[in-house]
Amino acid sequence: MNLEFISEGPALVIEGEQRLLIVADLHFGIEADLAAHGLHFRSRSAGRLERLMRVIDLADPDALVLLGDIKHSIPSLTRQEYYEMPGILDALRARVPLIVFPGNHDIGIERFVREEELRPRDGALVDGVAYLHGHMNPAPSLFGNLMVIGHHHPLISLRDEVGYAMQAPAYIRADIEPGEHGVPVPPGSPGKTRVLFMPAFNELAGYDIVKILKDPFSPLSRSMNADRAEIILADGTLIGPVSALNLDEDD
Amino acid sequence: MKTTERLDPRVLACIKKRGFTSLSDAQKQAIPLILDGKHIVLIAPTGTGKTESAMFPVFNGLLSLPGGGGFKALYITPLRSLNRDILSRMQWWCAELGLTVGVRHGDTPMGERRKQALSPPDLLITTPETFQALFMGKRLRQHLAHVKYVIVDEIHELAGSKRGAQLAVGLERLHVYAGEFQRIGLSATVGNPEDIAGYLCGARPCSIVQVPVAKQLELSVQYVGDDFRHQTEVLKKHLKCEGSTLIFVNTRVTAEALGHALFSHGDVEVHHGSLSREVRIDAEDRFKKGEIRTLICTSSMELGIDIGRVDHVIQFGSPREVARLVQRVGRAGHQLNTISRGTILATGFDDLLESLVIAKKARANEIERVTPPRHAADVLANQVAAIAVEYGEIERSKIREICERTSLYPDCGTLLDDVCRQMEDHRLIRIDGSRIITTARARRYLAGNLSMIHDERKVPIFDIVSRRTVGTLDESFVVGWVHTGVVFITKGQLWRVLEIADGRLTVEPAKKAIGELPSWEGEQIPVPFPVAQEAGMMRRTRDIAAYHPEPDGLSYAEGFLREMDRNRSLVPTDELITLENTEDGVVCNVCAGHKANEALGRVISILVSARYGTTVGLELDAYRMLLRLPFSIRAADIRDILLSLDPAHMPGILKLALKRTALFKWKLVQIAKKFGAIDPDADYERISIQRLLDFFDNTVVQQEAYRELLSEYMDIDTAAGIVSLVQSGKIRVELGPLSLIGAGGLLSSRDQIPPPTADSAVLATLKRRLSQDDVLLACMNCRDWKSRTVVSRVDDHPQCPKCGARLIAALKPYEEEQYALLKKPKKNAEERATEQRLMKNANIVLSSGKKAIIALSARGVGPENASRILATLTEDDAFYREILKAERTFVQTHRYWA
């Protein structure tokens, strides 16, 4: 298995027997929700789709894995989604086969996705790697493999010597440790389970990593060993453990 | 014919009844012009009967018009408090003359408003914002059709701002209903009366009547030092021997501090914008009645509210601008033909020289210019929305005609198109071919955006350690800039942001930060370039006596300069820039005023940040800039940049520099609100708003943020002029250690200029991580010594304490077992390979020392990788970049993920 980081996404290529391109959290249709919260912008779906097509061209994969939250509105479809989604998915389909793991925002996605594209909400193995959106408990059969998930939109704050802080989307690699509040690790699972949290592809989504680690909001994030979790930037630059961010400046 | 004979006998009778025996100069000049129907700007100091000059002939005209029907005269002032004051003065006249008068502004109750809609008063006193609201109601619009006179009071206060630009368009919207009406502007002294006339009337001819102020001023400057106790003692002495006194201060904090200190003195009150209306009105009334003799106030008392007799005005600290001094001191002797007496109490070296310069300029009547903003796109957006709501549907060319009748939007076709398109993007209007159509949102938008003043929500700052609220920040500032990990300064303390949630900012005290952030509360009044220049000239000529300071001030200033000489410090002047090395970075002493220094400082900062890949912290005032820098960048480097800078490139560089700063993002959010992109009550917590701001790249919103910052916050032309003078040798540049002048002063503006890429932040994080990494040092010579430590504590060339050898392997902690295996007498093939690897490791450390240890502590970097990295012979950042590259390769492999 080999990985490629595509920072223009952020997106990831995992190459085993097949070459898979993985993107998480597209959130098409987010603009309608923003407007409801006082932020009024024209739909940026076209630009987002264009960016995704560029990433596909760059990666030239055998299949595109959509790791959930392809659309945004819950609990029901908005007019924007109803009009935009078929075109978006057709454009993707025309270029590359799709594998879809529905997320918590994907209520009603069945309407737009073909049956053969759809995978279970609690995940499935593809080419020896487990994929799921990450908002619910993973299927028991997935443990012992690398799990690639979305849902958390991790974003990192970095400081330089003068103190300027910048934010950037980032990946988190963490080990799963069975615990009271976390995921039910099935007894007799082989080996350890590693989770790779993908940053969101949607340009507006973002959630500070420090906050994710402090107040985990999903079964998998509650089960990870936060102290040893490692952060990787969208271009594959290793930042290291959260402690390397050294928020307490005592040095 | 005598002026008085041209007035209606009823008006004349009132003038007599009111006790006016003669007309003032201003009145004698202005009244005939107004009676002749001329547009006019009347420029005169406060207290010369400006209001009456305008109103006598207006009353005259109103008496000749048939009663009822609609508003016939609008009297617009910038402040509600001024409205109330004018109302109380007008009520008597109108009652005597049988005219009706009303006031309408934000505080006017619904009942009163309804009454005005049903039976409109002849004279309506209002604010620019409520004037805007008049266009929203159908009945009120009909009343506007009767307007014959518009009086804009304190017009100098409006003309230079976006509020004023909005009013200018508003007047042309009024013109659509009322046709040509007579325009009368009342202004304090300004440097460019003709621009004020153009602002008021557009291309229409406009008369200017100017009553000089200087001969009525008696100014002195007194040095009081920087000790607050001594300052208050001096103040007390003044208060003892003077009658009624206004003490003007520059900040609310100072007002409160002085109020507290003088409280025991009795009969003193504090008056500033943060106090409630009731408290302020009470203070004004008691001062007017003579119950208190002293009022400590901020700019809140600059405008012409009648507060009765003032014998003396004290300006605490430099007034910073000539116009401000004249306006403030003009409050004294608030009666015709009396002398206004004012004293500036100067508190330090800069302050003293600056005060002397400003006093001299005031006596010479050299007042600053007021520059009306041209082509302000957010004002245009606001007015397009207002016009769309007013008409429902309108041709774009009609809007253009309205705007182009003002002097502020000449040839605005393209701008208008851009603005409309942007507004459509934010769903504020619809565009149908050449027509602009209102939307349901537009009316809602207008209700929240009648004013161009940014009435900001304040975000409380909650300190998680002390569990209390320590202050507030402007919401646009928080939204545009602040995120987790950011360090900023407020209330003189450093705070690090932990969380932004539930409408508040959770912070903890930060121990140190090289770069500090501004807090935007109480923005300082900028010192203009000519004032700072002349203060610089005084430092050069040292002819301070020519400015007539009092003996204390003279001996202090001369002593200060002698002290500089004694320390062998060069004195920076208008012809000498000094660059001084300090612990925190480099101080650039440039006597160019705030706006030019803002521009110059930012240009230098972005060049430094680009060249050295580091963020630059910038703090500045009118005479100096502190560039906060890593220690390796020194004054000589800044001089190189200054000398190699092409002045023609500076505006472009500055735009680049601005884009990622706090100031720019703060502006962008404010302007986006005026375009309807962001509601006043928007919920920002759901998304990364800072990335949302990228959506404005290359839009008219971004263009307006640049326009406003480059014209109102900084002065790039002057900054470029200074750089030209440096390069032609007319201004010299010298280096030196920190001087008294360099160390002095309160740096009033702060920002950070980040480098073009995230590189420096990533490198800083990598360095921190590697230096904190655990490392196991193991002797490969005696093979009997190992020690676990962290990389930062390792010597440059570690040595085995047992055998003295320098053949030390730097291992990762989990490699400890492998070292243990070396003691086995008989090794298998795999163990021999391990032994070889450890030897190679130690050999690298032997030849490259600490640098090898750093490389070896990187992830996925073994002896092979390490020697490849070391073979590049790179140093410093380039060396660390090689490490990043190696780690990036490692992260792509199965080994990292399994």
Side-chain angles (χ1 to χ4, degrees), chain A residues 12 14 21-27 64-70 99-104 106 119-121 123-124 126 129-135 147-153 171 196-199:
Chain A
L12 193 62
I14 298 184
L21 173 65
I22 301 116
V23 296
D25 299 286
L26 293 161
H27 290 271
L64 171 63
V65 177
L66 298 176
L67 215 49
D69 288 0
I70 298 150
I99 302 173
V100 176
F101 291 91
N104 48 319
D106 290 323
R119 297 292 183 277
R121 282 173 184 272
V126 182
V129 176
Y131 296 94
L132 66 155
H133 177 60
H135 60 296
M147 287 185 189
V148 181
I149 67 169
H151 187 59
H152 297 79
H153 311 175
Y171 297 81
L196 171 57
F197 295 77
M198 297 259 313

Side-chain angles (χ1 to χ4, degrees), chain A residues 1-5 30 33-34 37-44 146 155 157-167 169 173 192 194 196 202-205 208 211 230 232-233 235-241 243-251, chain B residues 424-426 441 481 483-486 496 499-500 511-512 514-515 614-615 617 628 630 660 676-679 682-683 686-689 691-692 695-696 752 754 758 760-762 764-765 767-769 772 859 884 887-888 891-894 896-898:
Chain A
M1 183 189 81
N2 201 28
L3 282 79
E4 285 167 39
F5 292 83
I30 192 173
D33 184 44
L34 292 183
H37 290 89
L39 302 160
H40 307 272
F41 288 85
R42 184 181 282 278
S43 165
R44 300 181 65 86
L146 175 65
L155 204 60
S157 296
L158 289 176
R159 265 187 317 105
D160 69 9
E161 282 169 75
V162 177
Y164 176 72
M166 46 101 40
Q167 282 192 316
R173 185 199 75 169
K192 70 180 169 195
R194 266 207 165 139
L196 171 57
N202 186 294
E203 62 281 6
L204 293 177
D208 203 287
K211 232 157 131 183
E230 295 216 322
I232 301 154
L233 295 185
D235 67 353
T237 300
L238 180 67
I239 291 298
S243 62
L245 300 175
N246 187 28
L247 284 169
D248 58 43
E249 285 183 347
D250 283 331
D251 52 334
Chain B
E424 193 188 29
D425 257 20
H426 302 307
R441 257 199 79 217
W481 172 259
H483 56 75
T484 313
V486 156
R496 182 178 308 99
E499 192 175 37
I500 310 163
K511 290 192 194 76
K512 66 159 198 219
I514 311 175
T614 174
T615 298
R628 292 187 182 267
R660 297 209 287 138
I678 301 175
D679 287 346
D683 171 4
R686 318 170 55 82
I687 54 153
S688 168
I689 187 87
R691 295 217 235 154
L692 191 80
F695 293 180
F696 294 113
Q752 294 176 338
S760 66
V762 172
T765 312
K767 287 179 200 169
R768 269 201 300 269
R769 161 158 62 87
Q772 290 165 9
R859 308 297 300 276
L884 279 179
E887 286 192 336
R888 217 174 286 141
V891 166
Q892 297 186 353
T893 61
H894 188 260
Y896 180 75
W897 293 100

Side-chain angles (χ1 to χ4, degrees), chain A residues 122-125 130 138-145 147 186 189-190:
Chain A
D122 59 355
L125 280 170
S141 61
L142 303 183
F143 288 88
N145 299 288
M147 287 185 189
S189 292

Side-chain angles (χ1 to χ4, degrees), chain B residues 155-169:
Chain B
I155 190 170
H156 61 280
E157 189 72 19
L158 291 166
S161 68
K162 290 188 172 184
R163 278 183 90 191
Q166 185 196 40
L167 175 61
V169 179

Side-chain angles (χ1 to χ4, degrees), chain B residues 641-667:
Chain B
I641 284 177
L642 208 51
L643 290 174
S644 60
L645 184 56
D646 182 348
H649 292 162
M650 287 174 65
I653 296 172
L654 183 55
K655 278 192 176 180
L656 256 178
L658 278 176
K659 180 145 190 242
R660 297 209 287 138
T661 60
L663 179 65
F664 183 75
K665 291 187 172 174
W666 173 66
K667 265 294 141 206

